[in-house]
Each structure stands twice: as C-alpha cells, then as structure tokens.
Amino acid sequence: MRFLGWVLVAVPLSVAVMLHLLVPLPTSLDQAAFLAGVAAFAVGAALVLRRDEDDWREAGEAPSPPWWPAFERDLGDYERERSRRETVPR
C-alpha cells in the first residue's frame, strides 16, 4: 500500500503539470487534470503517512533516563537557592 501511495504522490500531479506545460489543453480539462493530480497526491500522502499496527516507532513514551530524577532534584535546589538570593528584604 505504501508503494501505491508513493506512486500516487509522485506521478499524477507531475503528469498534470507536464500536460499543462507541453500540451495546449482546454482550460476546463487542464483544471480537471490539476485537481485530479492534487486529489491523488492527498490520497497518496495519506497512504504513505498512515500508521501500521507493527510500526516500530509506536513504542509509546520512552522511559526517563536514570539521571533524570537527580537532575530534577538539583534543578529544584538551584531554583530555590536563586530565588532566595534574588529576594531583597525590605
């Protein structure tokens, strides 16, 4: 199906543009060819970009790295210390 999608993305719109440039067609036929090419491009893009059940990229969220909790703790300590220093007593 993805191959068909790539064919629909690459061929019909290119053919419509080439027809427009090389063959003097009536305006209505020229516009119909262009619209058919755009529609085929949209269908082809949907086929190419659709998600498969066994797609390796759909693993969900990756677990947080082992250093992340320590980083968050250190960042929180830094922010508290910085805000304490920036507060000017009146």
Side-chain angles (χ1 to χ4, degrees):
M1 283 304 261
R2 286 194 188 225
F3 178 73
L4 175 63
W6 281 113
V7 169
L8 288 173
V9 165
V11 175
L13 191 55
S14 301
V15 169
V17 171
M18 293 304 283
L19 282 174
H20 175 76
L21 294 174
L22 299 176
V23 180
L25 295 173
T27 304
S28 60
L29 188 58
D30 192 31
Q31 290 177 352
F34 177 75
L35 289 176
V38 169
F41 185 93
V43 170
L47 289 174
V48 169
L49 298 176
R50 73 184 177 101
R51 292 184 174 191
D52 291 333
E53 311 309 329
D54 57 345
D55 195 351
W56 61 271
R57 294 173 289 181
E58 294 185 20
E61 270 190 48
S64 60
W67 51 266
W68 189 256
F71 170 76
E72 285 184 330
R73 186 176 48 253
D74 293 343
L75 180 61
D77 293 344
Y78 171 79
E79 288 175 340
R80 280 189 293 280
E81 180 66 26
R82 184 172 177 180
S83 68
R84 187 183 63 77
R85 287 182 188 171
E86 289 178 356
T87 306
V88 178
R90 291 183 183 204

Coordinates of all heavy atoms in Angstrom, one line a residue:
M1 N 0.8 -1.2 0.0 CA 0.0 0.0 0.0 C 0.9 1.3 0.0 O 0.5 2.2 -0.6 CB -0.9 0.0 1.2 CG -2.1 -0.9 1.1 SD -3.1 -0.6 -0.4 CE -4.4 0.3 0.3
R2 N 2.0 1.2 0.7 CA 2.8 2.4 0.7 C 3.4 2.7 -0.6 O 3.6 3.8 -1.0 CB 3.9 2.2 1.8 CG 3.4 2.4 3.2 CD 4.4 2.6 4.2 NE 3.8 2.5 5.5 CZ 4.0 3.4 6.4 NH1 4.9 4.3 6.3 NH2 3.4 3.3 7.6
F3 N 3.7 1.6 -1.4 CA 4.3 1.8 -2.7 C 3.2 2.5 -3.6 O 3.6 3.4 -4.3 CB 4.7 0.5 -3.3 CG 5.2 0.6 -4.7 CD1 6.4 1.2 -5.0 CD2 4.4 0.2 -5.8 CE1 6.9 1.3 -6.3 CE2 4.8 0.4 -7.1 CZ 6.1 0.9 -7.3
L4 N 2.0 2.1 -3.5 CA 0.9 2.7 -4.2 C 0.8 4.2 -3.8 O 0.6 5.1 -4.6 CB -0.4 2.0 -4.0 CG -1.7 2.7 -4.6 CD1 -1.5 2.7 -6.1 CD2 -2.9 1.9 -4.2
G5 N 1.0 4.4 -2.5 CA 0.9 5.8 -2.0 C 2.0 6.7 -2.6 O 1.8 7.8 -3.0
W6 N 3.2 6.1 -2.7 CA 4.3 6.8 -3.3 C 4.1 7.1 -4.8 O 4.4 8.2 -5.3 CB 5.7 6.1 -3.1 CG 6.2 6.3 -1.8 CD1 6.4 5.3 -0.8 CD2 6.7 7.5 -1.2 NE1 6.9 5.9 0.3 CE2 7.1 7.2 0.1 CE3 6.9 8.8 -1.6 CZ2 7.7 8.1 1.0 CZ3 7.4 9.7 -0.8 CH2 7.8 9.4 0.5
V7 N 3.5 6.1 -5.5 CA 3.2 6.3 -6.9 C 2.1 7.4 -7.0 O 2.3 8.3 -7.9 CB 2.7 5.0 -7.5 CG1 2.1 5.2 -8.9 CG2 3.8 4.0 -7.6
L8 N 1.1 7.4 -6.2 CA 0.1 8.5 -6.2 C 0.7 9.9 -5.9 O 0.2 10.9 -6.4 CB -1.1 8.1 -5.3 CG -2.0 7.0 -5.8 CD1 -3.0 6.7 -4.7 CD2 -2.7 7.3 -7.1
V9 N 1.7 9.9 -5.0 CA 2.3 11.2 -4.7 C 3.1 11.7 -5.9 O 3.1 12.9 -6.2 CB 3.1 11.1 -3.4 CG1 4.1 12.2 -3.2 CG2 2.2 10.9 -2.2
A10 N 3.9 10.8 -6.5 CA 4.9 11.2 -7.5 C 4.3 11.4 -8.9 O 4.7 12.3 -9.6 CB 6.0 10.2 -7.5
V11 N 3.4 10.6 -9.3 CA 3.0 10.6 -10.8 C 1.9 11.5 -11.2 O 2.1 12.3 -12.1 CB 2.7 9.1 -11.2 CG1 2.3 9.1 -12.6 CG2 4.0 8.2 -11.0
P12 N 0.7 11.4 -10.6 CA -0.4 12.1 -11.2 C -0.2 13.7 -11.3 O -0.5 14.3 -12.3 CB -1.6 11.8 -10.4 CG -1.3 10.5 -9.7 CD 0.2 10.6 -9.5
L13 N 0.2 14.3 -10.2 CA 0.4 15.7 -10.2 C 1.5 16.1 -11.2 O 1.4 17.1 -11.9 CB 0.7 16.2 -8.8 CG 0.6 17.7 -8.6 CD1 -0.7 18.3 -9.0 CD2 0.9 18.1 -7.1
S14 N 2.6 15.3 -11.2 CA 3.6 15.6 -12.2 C 3.1 15.5 -13.6 O 3.5 16.4 -14.5 CB 4.8 14.6 -12.0 OG 5.3 14.7 -10.7
V15 N 2.3 14.5 -13.9 CA 1.8 14.4 -15.3 C 0.9 15.6 -15.6 O 0.9 16.1 -16.7 CB 1.0 13.1 -15.4 CG1 0.2 13.0 -16.7 CG2 2.0 11.9 -15.3
A16 N 0.0 16.0 -14.6 CA -0.8 17.2 -14.9 C 0.0 18.4 -15.2 O -0.4 19.2 -16.1 CB -1.7 17.4 -13.6
V17 N 1.1 18.6 -14.4 CA 1.9 19.8 -14.7 C 2.6 19.7 -16.0 O 2.6 20.7 -16.8 CB 2.9 20.0 -13.5 CG1 4.0 21.0 -13.9 CG2 2.2 20.3 -12.2
M18 N 3.1 18.5 -16.4 CA 3.7 18.3 -17.7 C 2.7 18.6 -18.8 O 3.1 19.2 -19.8 CB 4.4 17.0 -17.8 CG 5.5 16.8 -16.8 SD 6.8 18.0 -17.0 CE 7.6 17.4 -18.5
L19 N 1.5 18.0 -18.6 CA 0.5 18.3 -19.7 C 0.2 19.8 -19.8 O 0.1 20.3 -20.9 CB -0.8 17.6 -19.3 CG -0.9 16.1 -19.6 CD1 -2.1 15.5 -19.0 CD2 -0.7 15.8 -21.1
H20 N 0.1 20.5 -18.7 CA -0.1 21.9 -18.8 C 1.0 22.6 -19.5 O 0.8 23.6 -20.3 CB -0.2 22.5 -17.4 CG -0.4 24.0 -17.3 ND1 -1.6 24.6 -17.6 CD2 0.5 24.9 -17.0 CE1 -1.4 25.9 -17.5 NE2 -0.1 26.1 -17.1
L21 N 2.2 22.2 -19.3 CA 3.4 22.9 -19.9 C 3.6 22.5 -21.4 O 4.0 23.3 -22.2 CB 4.7 22.6 -19.1 CG 4.7 23.1 -17.7 CD1 6.0 22.6 -17.0 CD2 4.7 24.7 -17.7
L22 N 3.3 21.3 -21.7 CA 3.6 20.8 -23.1 C 2.4 20.7 -24.1 O 2.7 20.8 -25.3 CB 4.2 19.4 -23.0 CG 5.5 19.3 -22.1 CD1 6.0 17.9 -22.0 CD2 6.6 20.2 -22.8
V23 N 1.2 20.5 -23.6 CA 0.1 20.4 -24.5 C -0.9 21.5 -24.2 O -1.4 21.6 -23.1 CB -0.6 19.0 -24.2 CG1 -1.8 18.8 -25.1 CG2 0.4 17.9 -24.4
P24 N -1.3 22.2 -25.2 CA -2.4 23.2 -25.0 C -3.8 22.6 -24.9 O -4.4 22.2 -25.9 CB -2.3 24.1 -26.3 CG -1.7 23.2 -27.3 CD -0.8 22.2 -26.6
L25 N -4.2 22.4 -23.6 CA -5.5 21.8 -23.4 C -6.5 22.8 -23.1 O -6.2 24.0 -22.7 CB -5.4 20.9 -22.1 CG -4.5 19.7 -22.2 CD1 -4.4 19.0 -20.8 CD2 -5.0 18.7 -23.2
P26 N -7.8 22.5 -23.3 CA -8.9 23.5 -22.9 C -8.8 23.7 -21.4 O -8.3 22.9 -20.6 CB -10.1 22.7 -23.3 CG -9.8 21.6 -24.2 CD -8.3 21.3 -23.9
T27 N -9.1 24.9 -21.0 CA -9.0 25.3 -19.6 C -9.7 24.4 -18.6 O -9.1 24.0 -17.6 CB -9.5 26.7 -19.4 OG1 -8.9 27.6 -20.3 CG2 -9.3 27.2 -18.0
S28 N -10.9 23.9 -19.0 CA -11.6 23.1 -18.1 C -10.9 21.7 -17.9 O -10.8 21.1 -16.8 CB -13.1 22.9 -18.5 OG -13.1 22.3 -19.8
L29 N -10.4 21.2 -19.0 CA -9.7 19.9 -18.9 C -8.3 20.1 -18.2 O -7.9 19.2 -17.4 CB -9.4 19.4 -20.3 CG -8.8 18.0 -20.4 CD1 -9.7 17.0 -19.7 CD2 -8.6 17.6 -21.9
D30 N -7.7 21.2 -18.4 CA -6.4 21.5 -17.7 C -6.7 21.6 -16.2 O -5.9 21.0 -15.4 CB -5.8 22.8 -18.2 CG -4.4 23.0 -17.8 OD1 -3.7 22.0 -17.6 OD2 -4.0 24.2 -17.6
Q31 N -7.7 22.3 -15.8 CA -8.0 22.4 -14.4 C -8.5 21.1 -13.8 O -8.1 20.7 -12.6 CB -9.1 23.4 -14.2 CG -8.6 24.8 -14.4 CD -9.7 25.9 -14.3 OE1 -10.9 25.5 -14.1 NE2 -9.3 27.1 -14.4
A32 N -9.2 20.3 -14.5 CA -9.6 19.0 -14.0 C -8.4 18.0 -13.8 O -8.4 17.3 -12.8 CB -10.6 18.3 -15.0
A33 N -7.5 18.1 -14.7 CA -6.3 17.3 -14.6 C -5.5 17.7 -13.3 O -5.0 16.9 -12.6 CB -5.4 17.4 -15.8
F34 N -5.4 19.0 -13.1 CA -4.7 19.5 -11.9 C -5.4 19.1 -10.7 O -4.8 18.6 -9.7 CB -4.6 21.0 -12.0 CG -3.9 21.6 -10.8 CD1 -2.5 21.5 -10.6 CD2 -4.6 22.3 -9.8 CE1 -1.9 22.0 -9.5 CE2 -4.0 22.8 -8.7 CZ -2.6 22.7 -8.5
L35 N -6.7 19.2 -10.6 CA -7.5 18.8 -9.4 C -7.4 17.3 -9.2 O -7.3 16.9 -8.0 CB -8.9 19.3 -9.5 CG -9.1 20.8 -9.4 CD1 -10.6 21.1 -9.6 CD2 -8.6 21.3 -8.1
A36 N -7.4 16.5 -10.2 CA -7.2 15.1 -10.1 C -5.9 14.8 -9.5 O -5.7 13.9 -8.7 CB -7.5 14.4 -11.4
G37 N -4.9 15.5 -10.0 CA -3.5 15.3 -9.5 C -3.4 15.6 -8.0 O -2.7 14.9 -7.3
V38 N -4.0 16.7 -7.6 CA -3.9 17.1 -6.2 C -4.7 16.1 -5.4 O -4.2 15.8 -4.3 CB -4.5 18.6 -6.1 CG1 -4.8 18.9 -4.6 CG2 -3.6 19.6 -6.7
A39 N -5.8 15.6 -5.8 CA -6.6 14.6 -5.1 C -5.8 13.3 -4.9 O -5.7 12.7 -3.9 CB -7.9 14.4 -5.7
A40 N -5.1 12.9 -6.0 CA -4.3 11.7 -6.0 C -3.1 11.9 -5.0 O -2.7 11.0 -4.3 CB -3.8 11.4 -7.4
F41 N -2.5 13.1 -5.0 CA -1.4 13.4 -4.1 C -1.9 13.3 -2.7 O -1.2 12.7 -1.8 CB -0.9 14.9 -4.4 CG 0.3 15.2 -3.6 CD1 1.5 15.0 -4.1 CD2 0.2 15.8 -2.3 CE1 2.7 15.4 -3.4 CE2 1.3 16.1 -1.6 CZ 2.5 15.9 -2.1
A42 N -3.1 13.8 -2.4 CA -3.6 13.8 -1.0 C -3.9 12.3 -0.6 O -3.5 11.9 0.5 CB -4.9 14.6 -0.9
V43 N -4.4 11.5 -1.4 CA -4.7 10.1 -1.1 C -3.4 9.4 -1.0 O -3.2 8.6 0.0 CB -5.6 9.4 -2.2 CG1 -5.6 7.9 -2.0 CG2 -7.0 10.0 -2.2
G44 N -2.4 9.7 -1.8 CA -1.1 9.0 -1.7 C -0.4 9.4 -0.4 O 0.2 8.6 0.2
A45 N -0.5 10.7 -0.1 CA 0.2 11.1 1.2 C -0.5 10.4 2.4 O 0.2 10.0 3.3 CB 0.1 12.6 1.3
A46 N -1.8 10.3 2.4 CA -2.5 9.6 3.4 C -2.0 8.1 3.5 O -1.8 7.6 4.6 CB -4.0 9.6 3.3
L47 N -1.8 7.5 2.4 CA -1.3 6.1 2.4 C 0.1 6.0 2.9 O 0.5 5.0 3.6 CB -1.4 5.5 1.0 CG -2.8 5.2 0.5 CD1 -2.8 4.7 -1.0 CD2 -3.5 4.1 1.3
V48 N 0.9 6.9 2.5 CA 2.3 6.9 2.9 C 2.5 7.2 4.4 O 3.3 6.5 5.1 CB 3.2 7.9 2.1 CG1 4.6 8.1 2.7 CG2 3.3 7.5 0.6
L49 N 1.7 8.1 4.9 CA 1.8 8.5 6.3 C 1.0 7.8 7.3 O 1.0 8.0 8.5 CB 1.5 10.0 6.4 CG 2.4 10.9 5.6 CD1 2.0 12.4 5.7 CD2 3.9 10.8 6.1
R50 N 0.2 6.8 6.8 CA -0.7 6.1 7.8 C 0.1 5.3 8.7 O 1.2 4.9 8.4 CB -1.7 5.2 7.0 CG -1.1 4.0 6.4 CD -2.1 3.3 5.6 NE -1.5 2.1 4.9 CZ -1.6 0.9 5.4 NH1 -2.4 0.6 6.4 NH2 -1.0 -0.1 4.8
R51 N -0.5 5.0 9.8 CA 0.2 4.2 10.9 C -0.2 2.7 10.7 O -1.3 2.4 10.5 CB -0.2 4.7 12.3 CG 0.3 6.1 12.6 CD -0.1 6.4 13.9 NE 0.5 7.7 14.3 CZ 0.5 8.2 15.5 NH1 0.0 7.5 16.5 NH2 1.1 9.4 15.7
D52 N 0.8 1.9 10.9 CA 0.6 0.5 10.9 C 0.7 0.0 12.3 O 1.3 0.6 13.2 CB 1.8 -0.3 10.1 CG 1.7 0.0 8.6 OD1 0.5 0.3 8.1 OD2 2.7 0.0 7.9
E53 N 0.0 -1.2 12.5 CA 0.0 -1.7 13.9 C 1.4 -2.2 14.3 O 1.7 -2.0 15.5 CB -0.9 -3.0 13.9 CG -2.3 -2.8 13.3 CD -3.1 -1.6 13.8 OE1 -2.9 -1.2 15.0 OE2 -3.8 -1.0 13.0
D54 N 2.2 -2.7 13.4 CA 3.5 -3.2 13.8 C 4.6 -2.1 13.6 O 5.8 -2.5 13.4 CB 3.8 -4.4 13.0 CG 3.7 -4.2 11.5 OD1 3.2 -3.2 11.1 OD2 4.2 -5.1 10.8
D55 N 4.3 -0.9 13.5 CA 5.2 0.2 13.3 C 6.2 0.3 14.5 O 5.7 0.4 15.6 CB 4.5 1.5 13.0 CG 5.5 2.5 12.4 OD1 6.7 2.3 12.4 OD2 5.0 3.6 12.0
W56 N 7.5 0.2 14.3 CA 8.4 0.2 15.4 C 8.5 1.6 16.1 O 8.9 1.7 17.2 CB 9.8 -0.1 14.8 CG 10.3 0.8 13.8 CD1 10.2 0.8 12.5 CD2 11.1 2.0 14.1 NE1 10.7 1.8 11.9 CE2 11.3 2.6 12.8 CE3 11.6 2.7 15.2 CZ2 12.0 3.8 12.7 CZ3 12.3 3.8 15.0 CH2 12.5 4.4 13.8
R57 N 8.0 2.6 15.5 CA 8.0 3.9 16.1 C 6.9 4.2 17.1 O 6.9 5.1 17.8 CB 7.9 5.0 15.0 CG 9.1 5.1 14.1 CD 8.9 6.0 13.0 NE 7.9 5.4 12.1 CZ 7.5 6.0 11.0 NH1 8.0 7.1 10.7 NH2 6.6 5.4 10.3
E58 N 6.0 3.2 17.2 CA 4.9 3.4 18.1 C 5.1 2.7 19.4 O 4.2 2.1 20.0 CB 3.6 2.9 17.5 CG 3.2 3.8 16.3 CD 1.8 3.3 15.7 OE1 1.1 2.7 16.4 OE2 1.6 3.6 14.6
A59 N 6.2 2.8 20.0 CA 6.5 2.1 21.2 C 6.0 2.9 22.5 O 6.0 2.4 23.6 CB 8.1 1.9 21.4
G60 N 5.5 4.0 22.3 CA 5.0 4.8 23.4 C 6.1 5.7 23.9 O 7.1 5.9 23.3
E61 N 5.9 6.2 25.1 CA 6.9 7.1 25.7 C 8.1 6.3 26.1 O 7.9 5.2 26.7 CB 6.3 7.8 26.9 CG 5.6 9.1 26.5 CD 5.3 9.9 27.7 OE1 6.2 10.1 28.6 OE2 4.2 10.4 27.8
A62 N 9.2 6.8 25.9 CA 10.4 6.2 26.3 C 10.6 6.4 27.8 O 10.2 7.5 28.3 CB 11.6 6.7 25.6
P63 N 11.1 5.5 28.6 CA 11.3 5.7 30.0 C 12.3 6.8 30.2 O 13.2 7.0 29.4 CB 11.8 4.3 30.5 CG 12.3 3.6 29.3 CD 11.6 4.2 28.1
S64 N 12.1 7.5 31.3 CA 13.1 8.6 31.6 C 14.4 8.0 31.9 O 14.6 6.9 32.5 CB 12.6 9.4 32.8 OG 12.5 8.6 33.9
P65 N 15.5 8.7 31.5 CA 16.8 8.2 31.7 C 17.1 8.1 33.2 O 16.5 8.8 34.0 CB 17.7 9.3 31.0 CG 16.9 10.4 30.7 CD 15.4 10.0 30.8
P66 N 18.1 7.3 33.6 CA 18.3 7.1 35.0 C 18.9 8.4 35.7 O 18.7 8.5 36.9 CB 19.4 6.0 35.1 CG 19.9 5.9 33.7 CD 18.9 6.5 32.8
W67 N 19.4 9.3 35.0 CA 20.0 10.5 35.6 C 18.9 11.6 35.8 O 19.1 12.6 36.5 CB 21.1 11.1 34.8 CG 20.8 11.3 33.4 CD1 21.0 10.4 32.4 CD2 20.1 12.4 32.8 NE1 20.5 10.9 31.2 CE2 20.0 12.1 31.4 CE3 19.6 13.6 33.2 CZ2 19.4 13.0 30.5 CZ3 19.0 14.4 32.3 CH2 18.9 14.1 31.0
W68 N 17.7 11.4 35.3 CA 16.7 12.4 35.3 C 16.2 12.8 36.7 O 16.1 14.0 37.0 CB 15.5 12.0 34.4 CG 14.5 13.2 34.2 CD1 13.3 13.3 34.8 CD2 14.7 14.3 33.4 NE1 12.7 14.5 34.4 CE2 13.6 15.1 33.6 CE3 15.7 14.7 32.6 CZ2 13.4 16.3 32.9 CZ3 15.6 15.9 31.9 CH2 14.4 16.7 32.1
P69 N 15.9 11.9 37.6 CA 15.4 12.3 39.0 C 16.5 13.2 39.7 O 16.1 14.2 40.3 CB 15.2 11.0 39.7 CG 14.9 10.0 38.6 CD 15.8 10.4 37.5
A70 N 17.7 12.8 39.6 CA 18.8 13.6 40.2 C 18.9 15.0 39.6 O 19.1 16.0 40.3 CB 20.1 12.9 40.1
F71 N 18.7 15.1 38.3 CA 18.8 16.4 37.6 C 17.6 17.2 38.1 O 17.8 18.4 38.3 CB 18.7 16.1 36.1 CG 18.5 17.4 35.3 CD1 19.5 18.3 35.1 CD2 17.2 17.7 34.8 CE1 19.3 19.5 34.4 CE2 17.0 18.9 34.1 CZ 18.1 19.8 33.9
E72 N 16.4 16.7 38.1 CA 15.3 17.5 38.6 C 15.4 17.9 40.0 O 15.1 19.1 40.4 CB 14.0 16.6 38.5 CG 13.5 16.5 37.1 CD 12.2 15.7 37.0 OE1 11.9 14.9 37.9 OE2 11.4 16.0 36.1
R73 N 16.0 17.1 40.9 CA 16.2 17.5 42.3 C 17.2 18.6 42.3 O 17.0 19.6 43.0 CB 16.7 16.3 43.1 CG 16.9 16.5 44.5 CD 17.3 15.2 45.3 NE 18.4 14.5 44.7 CZ 18.3 13.4 44.0 NH1 17.1 12.8 43.8 NH2 19.4 12.8 43.5
D74 N 18.4 18.5 41.6 CA 19.4 19.5 41.6 C 18.8 20.8 41.0 O 19.1 21.9 41.5 CB 20.6 19.1 40.8 CG 21.3 18.0 41.5 OD1 21.1 17.7 42.7 OD2 22.2 17.3 40.8
L75 N 18.0 20.7 40.0 CA 17.4 21.9 39.4 C 16.5 22.6 40.3 O 16.5 23.9 40.5 CB 16.7 21.6 38.1 CG 16.0 22.8 37.3 CD1 17.1 23.8 36.9 CD2 15.2 22.3 36.2
G76 N 15.7 21.9 41.0 CA 14.8 22.5 42.1 C 15.6 23.2 43.2 O 15.3 24.3 43.6
D77 N 16.7 22.5 43.6 CA 17.5 23.1 44.6 C 18.1 24.4 44.1 O 18.2 25.4 44.8 CB 18.7 22.2 45.1 CG 18.2 21.0 45.8 OD1 17.0 21.0 46.2 OD2 18.9 20.0 45.9
Y78 N 18.6 24.4 42.9 CA 19.2 25.6 42.3 C 18.2 26.8 42.2 O 18.5 27.9 42.5 CB 19.7 25.3 40.9 CG 20.2 26.5 40.1 CD1 21.4 27.1 40.3 CD2 19.3 27.0 39.1 CE1 21.8 28.2 39.6 CE2 19.7 28.1 38.3 CZ 20.9 28.7 38.6 OH 21.3 29.8 37.9
E79 N 17.0 26.4 41.7 CA 15.9 27.5 41.6 C 15.5 28.0 42.9 O 15.3 29.3 43.1 CB 14.7 26.9 40.9 CG 14.9 26.6 39.4 CD 13.7 26.0 38.8 OE1 12.9 25.4 39.5 OE2 13.6 26.0 37.5
R80 N 15.4 27.2 44.0 CA 15.1 27.7 45.3 C 16.2 28.6 45.8 O 15.9 29.6 46.4 CB 14.8 26.5 46.3 CG 13.5 25.9 46.1 CD 13.2 24.9 47.2 NE 14.0 23.7 47.1 CZ 13.8 22.7 46.3 NH1 12.8 22.8 45.4 NH2 14.6 21.7 46.3
E81 N 17.4 28.2 45.7 CA 18.6 29.0 46.1 C 18.6 30.3 45.4 O 18.9 31.4 46.0 CB 19.9 28.2 45.9 CG 21.1 28.9 46.4 CD 21.2 29.2 47.9 OE1 20.5 28.4 48.6 OE2 21.8 30.1 48.3
R82 N 18.4 30.3 44.1 CA 18.5 31.5 43.3 C 17.3 32.5 43.7 O 17.6 33.7 43.8 CB 18.4 31.2 41.8 CG 18.5 32.4 40.9 CD 18.6 32.0 39.5 NE 18.7 33.2 38.7 CZ 18.8 33.3 37.4 NH1 18.8 32.2 36.7 NH2 18.8 34.4 36.8
S83 N 16.1 31.9 43.9 CA 15.0 32.8 44.2 C 15.2 33.4 45.6 O 14.9 34.5 45.9 CB 13.7 32.1 44.2 OG 13.6 31.1 45.1
R84 N 15.9 32.6 46.5 CA 16.2 33.1 47.9 C 17.2 34.2 47.8 O 17.1 35.2 48.5 CB 16.7 32.0 48.7 CG 16.9 32.3 50.2 CD 17.5 31.2 51.0 NE 18.9 30.8 50.6 CZ 20.0 31.5 50.9 NH1 19.9 32.6 51.6 NH2 21.1 31.1 50.5
R85 N 18.2 34.1 46.9 CA 19.2 35.2 46.8 C 18.6 36.4 46.1 O 19.1 37.6 46.5 CB 20.4 34.7 45.9 CG 21.2 33.7 46.6 CD 22.4 33.3 45.8 NE 23.1 32.2 46.3 CZ 24.1 31.6 45.7 NH1 24.4 31.9 44.5 NH2 24.7 30.6 46.3
E86 N 17.7 36.3 45.2 CA 17.1 37.4 44.5 C 16.1 38.2 45.3 O 15.8 39.4 45.0 CB 16.5 37.0 43.2 CG 17.5 36.6 42.2 CD 16.9 36.1 40.9 OE1 15.6 36.0 40.8 OE2 17.6 35.7 39.9
T87 N 15.6 37.6 46.4 CA 14.6 38.3 47.2 C 15.3 39.3 48.1 O 16.2 39.0 48.8 CB 13.9 37.3 48.1 OG1 13.3 36.3 47.3 CG2 12.8 38.0 48.9
V88 N 14.9 40.5 47.9 CA 15.5 41.6 48.7 C 14.6 41.9 49.9 O 13.4 42.3 49.7 CB 15.7 42.9 47.8 CG1 16.3 44.0 48.6 CG2 16.5 42.5 46.6
P89 N 15.1 41.8 51.1 CA 14.3 42.1 52.3 C 14.0 43.6 52.3 O 14.9 44.4 52.0 CB 15.1 41.6 53.5 CG 16.5 41.4 53.0 CD 16.4 41.3 51.5
R90 N 12.9 44.0 52.8 CA 12.5 45.5 52.9 C 12.6 45.9 54.3 O 12.4 45.4 55.3 CB 11.1 45.7 52.4 CG 11.1 45.5 50.9 CD 9.7 45.8 50.4 NE 9.7 45.5 49.0 CZ 8.9 46.1 48.2 NH1 8.0 46.9 48.6 NH2 8.9 45.8 46.9

